[in-house]
C-alpha cells in the first residue's frame, strides 16, 4: 500500500508542478521578480489568452457580396464568348449578359440557325473562364443560352467566402493584430465573416485595409500611329471616338494621370486625383494579380523622403513565361501598369522582361506598404459590406475580468464553507481537489491556446459546481457504506468504485453537449463549451484519483485499523 501511495503522490506532484508552471511560469528566463505578486499577475496576463469581452477590442461582422462575384464571372464569360465568336468568324447577331435577381445568363443570337449546335459546342472551348460544370446550355431556335446552375451558384458563393477569409487573414496577420478571431459567421448561405481583434480599439484602419482593392493588370497601350509613341487623349470621349464611337470587347479606356510619372529629376508632381489623360489599352490583360508572387515597397530616393516609394513585384513562373513571351514580341511599345482600373505608370519596353516589374507613382511609405500588402494578399473576390461593428473598451474588459474573478472566488469560498461544515475534515479533501481542478483547467486552456472569454469564466464556475457534485456523490456513497457496517477502508474503496460509474456517465453526457455547443455555437458560446469540457476532463483526475489518494494517505497515518472517518 505504501508503494502504491508513493506512486500516486509522485504522479499528483508532477502534474501539479507542471500545471503551476504552465499557468504562472514566465515564457523567458525566470527572474526573482517574476514570482512576486505583480510578476505573477503580469505572467498570468501574458499566458492566458483573453477574449474580446475581457481584453477589449473590435468586433466586426462583414458579408461577402457574392452577387458581385457571380456578376463579374458572368461578364467575363460574356466578353470571352463575344471575342471567341469574332475570332472564329461565326455569324452572330448579338451576345448579351442577362443578370436579373438570382439569375445569371449569357445569351447568343446566331445569324445562321444551322450553325447553332456548332457554336454551342465550340465557343465554350475557346473561353478560358468558361467552366462546363458551372454553365448549363440550352437552345431555342437560333438562340443559345448559357445559364449558371443553382448548384454552381451555391458552390461559387462558398468559394468566394473562403477566398475572402484567406485574404482577410493574410492582411490582418501582416498588420500584427494580436490573436485575432476570424471565422465564418451564421449560416453558410449568409456568406458572413466574423472578425474579432482583441486590444484594437480603433477598427477604422483595419476596415480601410480590408475594403481596399488591389486588382493589378499589365496591359498593352494601343497607339494607332506608332507603338513607339504613346497616344493619350484629353477626355474619355476623345478616346472613345478614336475607336469609332464604340469600345470593342478587346479594348478598354482607362484614366491616366501623367503627373504620377517620375520627372527627369526623379521626383513626382503632386497627385490631384483627377486624371489628366485617357489611354486605350488591349483587353484582356497580359498578366494580372493572380500571377503575382510577391510585392514589396522600396524607396526610390537614396535621400529618403515622404513621397519616395515604389512597389517592386515579381511574377509566378507561369505568369513570367507569358509576360516574357509578350514583352519579347512587343519591344518598342508601351505597357500600362493598371491598378484598380487606373493606369499607374506606362513604361516603355526596351527589351524582354520576364518575372519582375515596378509600380511607380506618388506613393508615401504608408501607402506603398499598404498597396504592397494588398497586392501580396490578392484582390478580394467580391466587395464586402459591414453588417455589425462593436468596440469594447479596455476599461470595460477590466471590469469584466474583475467581476468574473470576484464571482469565481465568492462561489469557491461558499463551496469551501459548505463542504467543510457538512463533511468536516473530508470536506478539506474536496477543497484540495477543487483547487487542483481549477489549476489544471487553466493550464489546459493555455496548452490548447484557447481564448478565455466571460462565458468561459462561467464555464469554469459551472465546472467547479460539477466537481463538487462528484465529491458529494462519492462522500454520500462512503457514508452509506459506513452506515451498513463496513470498515472505513472498505467503505472508501466501495464508495469510489460505485460512484465512479455515475461520475463517468454525467461527465460524458455533459462533454458531448459541450462538443455540440462548440461545433455549432458562435465565439462566446464556444468559449463556454471549451472551459466546461476542460474542467470536466480535469475533474475525472482530481475528484477520483487525487481525492482517493488523500483518503489513502489519511488511513496510512493511523496506526492499526481505522475505526472512524470524519465525513
Amino acid at each position: 500500500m505504501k508503494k502504491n501511495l508513493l506512486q500516486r503522490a509522485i504522479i499528483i506532484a508532477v502534474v501539479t508542478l507542471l500545471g503551476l508552471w504552465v499557468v504562472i511560469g514566465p515564457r523567458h528566463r525566470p527572474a526573482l521578480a517574476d514570482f512576486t505578486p505583480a510578476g505573477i499577475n503580469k505572467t498570468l496576463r501574458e499566458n492566458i489568452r483573453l477574449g474580446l469581452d475581457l481584453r477589449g477590442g473590435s468586433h466586426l461582422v462583414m458579408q461577402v457580396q457574392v452577387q458581385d462575384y457571380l456578376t463579374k464571372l458572368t461578364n467575363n464569360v460574356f466578353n470571352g464568348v463575344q471575342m471567341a465568336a469574332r475570332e472564329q468568324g461565326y455569324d452572330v447577331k448579338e451576345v448579351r449578359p442577362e443578370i436579373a435577381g438570382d439569375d445569371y445568363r449569357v445569351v447568343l443570337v446566331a445569324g445562321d440557325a444551322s450553325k447553332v449546335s456548332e457554336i454551342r459546342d465550340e465557343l465554350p472551348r475557346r473561353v478560358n473562364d468558361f467552366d462546363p460544370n458551372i454553365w448549363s446550355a440550352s437552345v431555342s431556335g437560333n438562340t443559345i443560352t448559357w445559364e449558371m446552375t443553382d448548384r454552381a451558384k451555391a458552390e461559387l458563393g462558398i468559394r468566394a467566402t473562403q477566398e475572402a477569409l484567406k485574404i482577410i487573414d493574410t492582411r490582418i496577420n501582416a498588420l500584427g493584430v494580436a490573436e485575432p478571431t476570424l471565422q465564418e459567421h451564421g449560416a453558410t448561405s449568409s456568406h458572413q465573416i466574423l472578425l474579432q481583434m482583441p486590444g484594437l480599439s480603433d477598427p477604422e484602419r483595419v476596415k480601410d485595409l480590408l475594403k481596399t482593392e488591389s486588382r493589378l493588370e499589365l496591359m498593352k497601350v494601343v497607339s494607332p500611329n506608332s507603338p513607339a509613341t504613346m497616344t493619350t487623349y484629353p477626355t474619355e470621349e476623345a478616346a472613345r471616338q478614336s475607336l469609332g464611337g464604340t469600345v470593342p470587347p478587346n479594348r478598354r479606356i482607362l484614366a491616366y494621370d501623367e503627373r504620377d510619372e517620375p520627372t527627369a529629376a526623379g521626383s513626382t508632381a503632386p497627385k490631384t486625383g483627377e486624371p489628366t489623360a485617357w489611354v486605350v489599352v488591349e483587353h484582356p490583360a497580359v498578366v494580372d494579380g493572380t500571377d503575382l508572387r510577391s510585392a514589396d515597397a522600396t524607396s526610390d530616393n537614396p535621400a529618403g523622403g515622404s513621397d519616395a516609394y515604389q512597389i517592386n513585384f515579381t511574377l509566378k513562373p507561369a505568369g513570367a513565361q507569358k509576360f516574357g513571351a509578350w514583352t519579347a514580341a512587343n519591344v518598342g511599345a508601351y505597357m500600362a501598369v493598371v491598378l484598380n482600373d487606373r493606369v499607374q505608370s506606362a513604361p516603355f519596353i526596351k527589351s524582354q522582361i520576364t518575372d519582375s516589374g515596378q509600380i511607380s507613382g506618388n506613393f508615401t511609405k504608408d501607402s506603398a506598404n499598404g498597396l504592397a500588402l494588398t497586392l501580396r494578399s490578392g484582390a478580394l473576390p467580391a466587395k464586402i459590406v459591414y453588417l455589425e461593428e462593436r468596440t469594447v473598451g479596455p476599461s470595460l474588459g477590466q471590469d469584466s475580468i474583475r467581476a468574473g474573478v470576484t464571482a469565481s472566488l465568492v462561489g469557491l469560498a461558499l463551496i469551501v464553507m459548505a463542504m467543510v461544515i457538512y463533511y468536516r475534515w473530508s470536506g478539506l479533501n474536496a477543497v484540495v481537489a477543487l483547487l487542483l481542478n481549477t489549476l489544471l483547467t487553466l493550464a489546459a486552456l493555455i496548452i490548447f491556446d484557447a481564448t478565455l472569454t466571460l462565458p468561459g469564466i462561467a464555464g469554469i464556475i459551472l465546472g467547479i459546481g460539477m466537481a463538487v457534485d462528484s465529491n458529494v456523490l462519492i462522500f454520500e456513497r462512503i457514508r452509506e457504506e459506513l452506515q451498513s457496517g463496513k470498515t472505513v477502508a472498505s467503505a472508501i474503496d466501495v464508495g469510489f468504485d460505485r460512484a465512479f460509474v455515475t461520475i463517468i456517465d454525467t461527465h460524458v453526457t455533459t462533454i458531448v453537449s459541450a462538443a455540440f455547443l462548440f461545433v455549432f455555437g458562435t465565439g462566446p458560446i464556444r468559449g463556454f463549451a471549451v472551459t466546461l469540457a476542460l474542467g470536466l476532463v480535469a475533474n475525472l483526475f482530481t475528484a477520483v484519483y487525487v481525492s482517493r489518494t488523500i483518503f489513502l494517505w489519511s488511513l496510512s497515518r493511523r496506526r492499526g485499523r481505522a475505526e472512524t472517518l470524519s465525513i
Side-chain angles (χ1 to χ4, degrees):
M1 177 178 177
K2 288 185 177 180
K3 183 178 180 181
N4 183 44
L5 185 61
L6 179 61
Q7 290 177 345
R8 284 173 167 266
I10 291 174
I11 291 173
I12 293 171
V14 169
V15 171
T16 303
L17 290 174
L18 287 175
L20 280 170
W21 182 257
V22 170
V23 174
I24 65 172
R27 299 299 180 262
H28 52 262
R29 181 176 292 181
L32 188 60
D34 292 324
F35 301 99
T36 62
I40 291 175
N41 184 48
K42 179 183 177 183
T43 303
L44 276 172
R45 292 178 178 276
E46 293 174 351
N47 292 348
I48 299 177
R49 193 166 115 181
L50 299 178
L52 189 71
D53 50 0
L54 297 180
R55 186 177 176 182
S58 296
H59 169 103
L60 296 172
V61 176
M62 60 197 85
Q63 185 180 54
V64 181
Q65 299 300 285
V66 173
Q67 295 84 355
D68 292 351
Y69 181 64
L70 301 181
T71 299
K72 178 182 176 182
L73 182 60
T74 303
N75 286 327
N76 287 344
V77 171
F78 154 67
N79 288 326
V81 167
Q82 193 173 37
M83 290 180 61
R86 290 191 179 188
E87 290 172 357
Q88 297 302 308
Y90 288 118
D91 180 12
V92 174
K93 290 184 177 180
E94 181 187 14
V95 182
R96 66 180 184 272
E98 290 187 354
I99 301 171
D102 198 35
D103 296 326
Y104 301 86
R105 304 185 186 93
V106 175
V107 178
L108 181 146
V109 181
D112 185 356
S114 64
K115 293 286 186 179
V116 168
S117 296
E118 180 183 342
I119 293 173
R120 179 196 61 192
D121 298 334
E122 183 64 23
L123 289 189
R125 291 198 288 264
R126 304 285 178 178
V127 179
N128 291 332
D129 290 331
F130 195 100
D131 186 343
N133 295 319
I134 295 176
W135 301 94
S136 174
S138 61
V139 176
S140 176
N142 63 340
T143 301
I144 306 170
T145 302
W146 289 281
E147 183 172 7
M148 192 178 293
T149 65
D150 291 337
R151 179 178 178 180
K153 284 183 282 191
E155 292 177 350
L156 289 169
I158 294 172
R159 183 195 304 175
T161 305
Q162 292 174 343
E163 287 179 8
L165 266 172
K166 293 178 183 177
I167 292 169
I168 292 171
D169 183 53
T170 301
R171 296 186 183 182
I172 292 298
N173 288 335
L175 269 183
V177 177
E179 301 161 352
T181 297
L182 181 65
Q183 62 192 33
E184 291 189 45
H185 183 69
T188 303
S189 58
S190 67
H191 308 298
Q192 295 180 16
I193 295 174
L194 169 67
L195 174 61
Q196 292 183 333
M197 297 164 287
L200 188 68
S201 57
D202 182 11
E204 289 305 318
R205 182 189 172 198
V206 175
K207 288 173 62 178
D208 290 341
L209 178 66
L210 295 185
K211 69 183 179 184
T212 300
E213 291 186 291
S214 56
R215 289 180 288 104
L216 175 68
E217 298 170 295
L218 303 182
M219 315 175 86
K220 182 181 179 179
V221 176
V222 177
S223 297
N225 298 326
S226 169
T229 303
M230 183 170 170
T231 304
T232 61
Y233 302 91
T235 65
E236 185 176 7
E237 181 59 29
R240 184 177 289 105
Q241 291 303 319
S242 73
L243 297 172
T246 303
V247 182
N250 62 341
R251 294 288 187 268
R252 288 176 65 189
I253 299 174
L254 300 177
Y256 174 47
D257 193 341
E258 295 173 294
R259 288 167 298 189
D260 291 344
E261 288 294 293
T263 64
S267 62
T268 55
K271 187 173 180 179
T272 64
E274 295 295 329
T276 61
W278 299 82
V279 297
V280 177
V281 296
E282 285 190 358
H283 179 74
V286 182
V287 294
D288 57 28
T290 59
D291 297 305
L292 204 66
R293 182 172 63 183
S294 66
D296 298 288
T298 58
S299 174
D300 60 0
N301 186 344
S306 60
D307 299 321
Y309 284 84
Q310 63 193 15
I311 294 95
N312 295 324
F313 62 87
T314 57
L315 301 173
K316 298 175 183 176
Q321 184 177 4
K322 288 190 296 182
F323 192 50
W326 183 84
T327 52
N330 288 274
V331 172
Y334 281 86
M335 176 186 70
V337 179
V338 181
L339 186 67
N340 303 327
D341 295 330
R342 185 183 183 116
V343 178
Q344 292 290 320
S345 58
F348 180 73
I349 303 173
K350 296 180 180 179
S351 60
Q352 183 183 19
I353 308 170
T354 54
D355 65 345
S356 61
Q358 181 184 99
I359 305 173
S360 58
N362 200 17
F363 295 117
T364 64
K365 181 178 180 180
D366 289 341
S367 64
N369 283 327
L371 175 57
L373 169 58
T374 56
L375 287 173
R376 286 196 301 272
S377 62
L380 288 168
K383 184 176 68 174
I384 58 174
V385 296
Y386 295 97
L387 304 180
E388 181 183 343
E389 178 181 343
R390 189 167 69 247
T391 301
V392 180
S395 59
L396 184 58
Q398 291 298 321
D399 291 341
S400 299
I401 294 175
R402 193 176 300 110
V405 171
T406 301
S408 301
L409 292 177
V410 170
L412 187 59
L414 292 174
I415 289 172
V416 168
M417 288 176 57
M419 294 297 287
V420 171
I421 292 173
Y422 191 73
Y423 289 110
R424 293 181 286 183
W425 289 109
S426 292
L428 291 176
N429 182 328
V431 170
V432 173
L434 286 179
L435 293 175
L436 184 56
N437 174 275
T438 305
L439 173 68
L440 295 182
T441 301
L442 291 176
L445 203 66
I446 296 170
I447 290 172
F448 289 107
D449 200 25
T451 301
L452 180 63
T453 61
L454 195 57
I457 294 178
I460 292 176
I461 296 173
L462 179 57
I464 291 174
M466 294 199 66
V468 171
D469 182 59
S470 299
N471 285 110
V472 169
L473 283 173
I474 294 169
F475 292 172
E476 288 301 318
R477 196 67 188 176
I478 292 174
R479 272 183 166 183
E480 291 177 3
E481 298 302 327
L482 287 174
Q483 290 171 358
S484 67
K486 286 189 172 63
T487 62
V488 172
S490 178
I492 290 173
D493 289 338
V494 174
F496 272 96
D497 291 341
R498 293 186 177 178
F500 181 72
V501 177
T502 305
I503 292 172
I504 287 291
D505 180 59
T506 57
H507 280 48
V508 168
T509 53
T510 308
I511 289 174
V512 169
S513 301
F516 277 103
L517 287 175
F518 181 83
V519 172
F520 298 106
T522 55
I525 304 255
R526 296 177 79 180
F528 172 80
V530 167
T531 53
L532 177 59
L534 293 177
L536 292 175
V537 172
N539 187 54
L540 291 176
F541 174 73
T542 57
V544 178
Y545 193 84
V546 174
S547 186
R548 189 168 191 169
T549 301
I550 294 174
F551 275 124
L552 293 176
W553 172 78
S554 177
L555 292 178
S556 69
R557 293 180 66 247
R558 304 186 188 186
R559 294 182 180 180
R561 181 175 171 180
E563 299 293 338
T564 59
L565 182 66
S566 178
I567 197 170

